[in-house]
Amino acid sequence: MMDVSDVLTEQPLLRTKLTAPQIPLQFVHRPRLTERISRGVRGPLTLLAAPAGFGKTNLLIEWTEETDLPVAWLTLDSDDNDFGRFFRYLITALQTLEPGLGAEALDFIQSTRGERLDVGLTLLINEIAALPQEITVVLDDFHALHDPSVLQGLRFFLKHLPRNLHLILATRSEPALDLAFLHAKGQVVELGAGDLRFTGEEVALLFRQFLGVPLPAETVQLLAERTDGWVTALQMAALSLQHEADPADLLANLRGDARYLIDFLAEEVLDRQPKEIRQFLLRSATLELLNGPLCEAVVNPEAQSGYGAVMLNRLEQAQLFIMALDEKREWFRYHRLFTDFLRHVQAKINPAEIPTLHKRAAIWFEQNGNLDEACQHALASGDGQWAADLIERNIQPLIKMGQNISLSRWIGKLPDALIRHRPRLGMAHAWGAMTTYQLDRARRWLDEVQRSIEQFEAASDTAEMGERKIGKGWYEDADLRNFRGGLAASESLLAILTGDMERGAEFARQAAHYLQEEDPFLQSFLALDDSLYFSLAADTQKAIESLRHTVKMARQVNNLLVMIIASCQVAEIQARQGQLGQAWATLEKAQYMARGPAGEPLPLASLVEIGFGSILLEQDRLNEANAYLERGWRMTRSWWSFGSLYGLLSLARLRQAQGDVAGSQVIMSDAWSMALSTESSQWDDALVAAVAVRLALLGDDRAAAERWWKKGGFPDLTETIALEDYPYYVFEYLLLTQARFLLVRGQDTDNAHELQQALELLRLLLADAQRYQRLTSQIAVLVLQALVEFALQDGRASDT
């Protein structure tokens, strides 16, 4: 089988978001403001809040280059309004300072799909607090964030900020955070538009850098007054004055509101550029980020290689409001206001060119593996059919990268009528809706897909379903059989999410029957099968590794059934190793996975409840164990689940421990009926019988133990049980039960031979338990060994 890492890879992160942009070639240093930021980072929060164009980013770049503090940088954008994406970027930014920091917190946040963010953030906060050094995190363009879950997480983060972490937020508007508690303590240092405006001295320095000669003091004063110290307006005015013989002519036009001022100055700048530069500026403004090859593909596909890099270098040298985003000066962006102006001009003078520019950008991003940007540009082209083609051919890559929510978002921007004629898009849209628990929307689109299949089949002239091909209107050369398998897999997930486990199981069987090609959702099921094989074979280390890969794989496609079963299996193995604390923590993660949008437990939560109860039973915390096991059993009574029988057996053991022998026997009778049912595995009857034997022995009822031994179909007590007949965990349990039974009967009948036989069984089990790192098994074997040795040394048993 293909390795999990070959099937799924995470969507790559943009490194340019995680590094501070490069400082402009000509820059007015502002020590009065960098000193205030340095004072601010002595406390928890520094806030730079001012409209666009006031130099917030450049000021922070200057400060980061001056400070000795470790600084993590993150530039935000509108796509970060997704808790998974945002916290992945935030934690990755922190890891640029401390590798591995927050890995567990990120895993928790992604595993729980944002439920109980406070738990994941607590893990992160505790890790940061344990660091020996102080660190600072810069969040630039914070105004881009508006998602409630992201903001909720940041509010929690701010309220519990460790003392060695300092936040700097740069935003165009007041952040949607509750900062009253920090303001009340005087723990916020704020820099607003009034602070960021250029002083007369800074205006004079800026123009001296641009023009090479100083301006008269009265001209500097007029410029400062007319622009109100607005940095971007001053820079544009300086560029205009490079070509203006008399500054008075320019000053005469520096009037009006801010929008007029920027438009006027930008036009002054643009009109003075050579035709080649002007065309490059207008066409490349279609892009948010710029690099040489991308600009070549979009601006001039016929240009020689290297054209894009040369042009970007010319723009930077001319200081045309372009900012380098990395040390190699490969990636750039225009000033936001300048971008707005260029797009406005392009839409006015050459609107017919815009769709082509977006399509060129989409193709470049698609070819370079950035499907998020590719989809954005495809949709911006305004050609719905073309955009649908691009999205449709990238469905599998996006799902494999775990981008089913993004995929659904892009599909949702297409017209409904177009989606209905493309069932692959409809099914992907339903998948994303299930991921975000929009179950009614998912139901609607799956019904649409089913209707499309029925219409196709009714119109098909081919008799064999397996040979039918979905026409070009759907997806050229796609096999209808595999498509039906994908639909069945989707129906299975929807049934599970709505609590109909029986229907979910039926659709899962249909999916396995239909699907022939590799599919991420099916692969997660197959990965679980592999993991369970290692678990059943008692290969503890391989089982743990495989199960964790399975959880990661299932999380990518939001296969809750596999995620929760695999997590519970990890917890069970950890418990066998004696790591009860780790097992409990693993189950807590699974518990958050198994919650609906309103916090209600999904049916799969029963597995977690049973896992908690079993750990508490091992710790002899009987009342607490009873609450969990009862709750778990109630949740599974109406449907067969992976842990139903196991929960029932744990409940029977609990009743026995509480002294309720009759209640334990009633439960064992139910467990026996369940073990004989069609949903049960072929070994369940043996396991139930062995548990019943142990409980009978604990109750000193040897006759009942004999009956259950025979009921289980085992050989005579003195004969060997074959390993090949059972998975190892059942085999081990049976042999331990046989040894217990031989001990009891050997003592009762004074039979040393049976005691010796018990001892041999235990020696065999101990070697395996040590090899497979099964600590609880080792303890059980050693305790029984001591009892058998004591019985033999007691001298009462004979060899007959």
Side-chain angles (χ1 to χ4, degrees):
M1 180 181 297
M2 184 181 295
D3 187 81
V4 172
S5 61
D6 293 331
V7 178
L8 297 175
T9 56
E10 288 187 321
Q11 175 82 337
L13 297 178
L14 285 167
R15 304 307 302 179
T16 52
K17 285 171 62 69
L18 299 169
T19 54
Q22 298 300 294
I23 205 160
L25 296 179
Q26 290 186 345
F27 179 75
V28 175
H29 292 276
R30 313 184 75 183
R32 66 183 179 89
L33 297 180
T34 55
E35 195 278 330
R36 287 187 61 181
I37 295 174
S38 294
R39 289 203 309 269
V41 295
R42 297 171 192 166
L45 179 65
T46 304
L47 180 64
L48 279 68
F54 272 83
K56 300 181 292 295
T57 299
N58 281 344
L59 178 61
L60 288 175
I61 297 170
E62 180 184 3
W63 177 79
T64 59
E65 293 190 352
E66 292 178 357
T67 186
D68 294 328
L69 288 173
V71 179
W73 183 288
L74 176 56
T75 301
L76 301 167
D77 56 53
S78 59
D79 287 335
D80 293 318
N81 285 291
D82 174 287
F83 70 85
R85 174 187 167 99
F86 172 78
F87 286 107
R88 185 177 169 214
Y89 265 109
L90 177 61
I91 290 174
T92 304
L94 289 166
Q95 289 175 348
T96 62
L97 306 180
E98 187 71 24
L101 178 67
E104 183 181 359
L106 180 60
D107 180 63
F108 183 93
I109 290 168
Q110 292 180 329
S111 298
T112 58
R113 307 181 315 283
E115 295 292 329
R116 295 300 306 276
L117 273 175
D118 54 330
V119 177
L121 291 175
T122 297
L123 293 172
L124 177 61
I125 290 166
N126 290 344
E127 278 196 69
I128 295 172
L131 294 176
Q133 76 272 22
E134 293 190 358
I135 58 176
T136 301
V137 176
V138 173
L139 298 181
D140 196 19
D141 289 341
F142 190 84
H143 52 270
L145 296 182
H146 54 76
D147 180 76
S149 61
V150 173
L151 294 173
Q152 177 187 352
L154 285 170
R155 291 186 196 104
F156 179 88
F157 197 66
L158 271 170
K159 285 187 176 181
H160 304 280
L161 211 62
R163 291 190 177 185
N164 60 332
L165 177 65
H166 317 284
L167 278 183
I168 300 179
L169 307 183
T171 177
R172 294 181 185 177
S173 56
E174 188 70 21
L177 301 171
D178 181 11
L179 302 180
F181 67 100
L182 290 175
H183 280 295
K185 297 178 182 179
Q187 294 181 333
V188 182
V189 171
E190 292 188 70
L191 282 78
D195 303 296
L196 294 169
R197 288 188 177 95
F198 265 32
T199 63
E201 183 181 348
E202 290 169 334
V203 172
L205 181 57
L206 173 69
F207 279 84
R208 187 159 59 246
Q209 287 182 352
F210 270 85
L211 304 178
V213 294
L215 284 178
E218 61 273 16
T219 303
V220 169
Q221 184 178 352
L222 277 173
L223 282 165
E225 290 176 356
R226 297 280 176 85
T227 61
D228 200 19
W230 189 8
V231 179
T232 298
L234 286 164
Q235 289 173 329
M236 289 186 175
L239 281 171
S240 299
L241 279 176
Q242 286 180 327
H243 307 281
E244 189 72 54
D246 186 359
D249 292 340
L250 177 69
L251 289 169
N253 290 298
L254 285 181
R255 300 183 182 280
D257 60 22
R259 181 72 266 172
Y260 167 81
L261 182 63
I262 286 296
D263 285 351
F264 165 73
L265 290 173
E267 190 171 345
E268 282 276 308
V269 172
L270 186 64
D271 285 347
R272 296 178 186 275
Q273 303 307 314
K275 180 180 178 181
E276 184 183 24
I277 293 288
R278 190 161 60 246
Q279 183 185 69
F280 186 93
L281 286 168
L282 292 173
R283 288 180 175 177
S284 61
T286 305
L287 306 165
E288 292 291 338
L289 300 175
L290 315 164
N291 77 359
L294 173 58
C295 288
E296 287 169 19
V298 174
V299 175
N300 188 357
E302 306 302 321
Q304 292 184 346
S305 177
Y307 160 79
V310 169
M311 293 298 290
L312 289 171
N313 183 60
R314 286 179 63 183
L315 297 184
E316 188 180 22
Q317 292 295 329
Q319 301 183 65
L320 285 172
F321 302 98
I322 191 169
M323 177 180 291
L325 299 176
D326 59 345
E327 292 181 1
K328 295 182 180 180
R329 307 189 103 79
E330 293 178 348
W331 283 95
F332 297 82
R333 70 171 170 84
Y334 294 125
H335 189 286
R336 308 293 187 196
L337 293 174
F338 195 51
T339 298
D340 290 345
F341 168 76
L342 292 174
R343 289 176 180 175
H344 172 73
V345 173
Q346 176 74 350
K348 185 177 180 181
I349 67 174
N350 201 2
E353 192 176 57
I354 295 174
T356 301
L357 297 175
H358 279 297
K359 287 181 180 180
R360 289 175 183 174
I363 291 170
W364 189 91
F365 279 115
E366 181 185 21
Q367 292 173 346
N368 286 271
N370 192 328
L371 299 180
D372 203 41
E373 290 287 335
C375 291
Q376 288 191 60
H377 281 286
L379 290 163
S381 74
D383 188 337
Q385 293 288 353
W386 192 90
D389 285 341
L390 183 143
I391 295 171
E392 190 166 16
R393 66 176 172 261
N394 286 293
I395 286 175
Q396 285 299 316
L398 283 163
I399 290 177
K400 286 180 179 180
M401 290 185 293
Q403 299 298 310
N404 42 331
I405 295 177
S406 295
L407 173 61
S408 183
R409 184 170 74 248
W410 301 134
I411 295 171
K413 293 183 179 182
L414 295 169
D416 282 2
L418 192 154
I419 302 173
R420 289 192 191 98
H421 287 89
R422 293 171 179 257
R424 282 186 178 275
L425 292 179
M427 192 156 66
H429 200 22
W431 199 275
M434 285 186 278
T435 301
T436 54
Y437 285 96
Q438 300 177 65
L439 303 186
D440 289 341
R441 175 178 289 185
R443 175 75 274 152
R444 170 194 166 199
W445 284 108
L446 289 182
D447 288 344
E448 291 281 359
V449 171
Q450 180 64 38
R451 279 192 287 272
S452 296
I453 292 178
E454 291 170 355
Q455 290 170 5
F456 175 79
E457 288 181 327
S460 176
D461 296 325
T462 306
E464 294 295 326
M465 182 183 68
E467 296 177 1
R468 293 174 184 162
K469 301 295 181 182
I470 301 173
K472 193 170 182 180
W474 281 25
Y475 195 79
E476 191 169 5
D477 295 330
D479 187 349
L480 181 59
R481 186 181 184 89
N482 282 317
F483 194 80
R484 272 200 169 280
L487 178 59
S490 301
E491 289 281 11
S492 175
L493 177 59
L494 182 58
I496 290 168
L497 292 176
T498 54
D500 192 341
M501 306 307 295
E502 185 175 344
R503 180 179 170 86
E506 173 59 31
F507 275 115
R509 285 191 287 270
Q510 288 185 29
H513 171 71
Y514 282 121
L515 280 166
Q516 296 171 334
E517 299 175 356
E518 289 183 356
D519 178 272
F521 188 85
L522 180 60
Q523 288 292 355
S524 64
F525 277 111
L526 298 179
L528 179 63
D529 288 342
D530 282 353
S531 302
L532 294 179
Y533 170 80
F534 291 128
S535 182
L536 295 176
D539 194 333
T540 304
Q541 192 57 40
K542 284 186 178 179
I544 285 283
E545 292 172 0
S546 181
L547 285 164
R548 284 175 174 159
H549 275 302
T550 298
V551 170
K552 182 178 179 180
M553 188 176 191
R555 184 174 64 226
Q556 298 278 8
V557 289
N558 203 45
N559 190 336
L560 285 178
L561 181 63
V562 170
M563 274 196 288
I564 294 169
I565 289 175
S567 296
C568 290
Q569 280 290 292
V570 170
E572 185 178 337
I573 293 173
Q574 289 171 330
R576 286 182 200 152
Q577 293 177 308
Q579 301 168 354
L580 297 184
Q582 290 185 24
W584 189 274
T586 300
L587 288 172
E588 284 185 320
K589 290 183 182 180
Q591 185 180 48
Y592 294 126
M593 295 179 205
R595 287 181 175 174
E600 75 280 7
L602 300 171
L604 292 167
S606 60
L607 308 184
V608 184
E609 298 289 322
I610 290 169
F612 281 136
S614 299
I615 291 175
L616 292 166
L617 178 59
E618 291 301 318
Q619 295 174 327
D620 202 34
R621 295 160 64 180
L622 302 184
N623 290 335
E624 294 171 84
N626 183 71
Y628 279 102
L629 291 173
E630 285 277 13
R631 189 160 54 243
W633 171 238
R634 282 196 303 271
M635 295 170 72
T636 63
R637 289 185 68 174
S638 60
W639 54 278
W640 174 266
S641 82
F642 189 80
S644 297
L645 183 61
Y646 182 63
L648 203 56
L649 294 176
S650 295
L651 203 54
R653 291 172 52 218
L654 175 68
R655 292 286 179 271
Q656 184 94 1
Q658 291 174 324
D660 183 3
V661 177
S664 178
Q665 290 174 347
V666 169
I667 293 173
M668 288 307 302
S669 177
D670 291 340
W672 181 250
S673 298
M674 181 180 283
L676 296 178
S677 68
T678 55
E679 296 95 340
S680 176
S681 76
Q682 57 183 313
W683 312 294
D684 286 343
D685 52 349
L687 185 60
V688 171
V691 172
V693 169
R694 289 201 190 186
L695 294 176
L697 293 174
L698 284 171
D700 292 326
D701 190 344
R702 230 181 79 195
E706 295 279 3
R707 288 195 300 273
W708 275 109
W709 188 262
K710 292 178 182 178
K711 209 171 184 179
F714 306 129
D716 185 80
L717 191 60
T718 58
E719 295 180 15
T720 303
I721 296 175
L723 171 59
E724 59 267 20
D725 292 337
Y726 305 98
Y728 187 82
Y729 83 97
V730 176
F731 173 75
E732 181 189 66
Y733 194 88
L734 294 181
L735 258 61
L736 277 169
T737 304
Q738 186 179 15
R740 287 174 185 270
F741 205 168
L742 286 168
L743 169 60
V744 171
R745 198 166 76 175
Q747 285 178 312
D748 289 348
T749 61
D750 296 328
N751 189 328
H753 177 71
E754 290 191 343
L755 294 176
Q756 286 288 353
Q757 191 175 0
L759 205 57
E760 288 303 316
L761 289 175
L762 292 170
R763 286 171 182 160
L764 174 67
L765 288 172
L766 182 60
D768 286 344
Q770 290 171 336
R771 182 166 66 252
Y772 295 137
Q773 303 175 37
R774 297 163 71 89
L775 182 60
T776 54
S777 298
Q778 292 178 51
I779 294 170
V781 170
L782 290 170
V783 169
L784 277 175
Q785 272 187 333
L787 292 172
V788 174
E789 293 281 6
F790 179 79
L792 285 168
Q793 292 173 9
D794 195 36
R796 293 184 292 108
S798 66
D799 292 331
T800 57

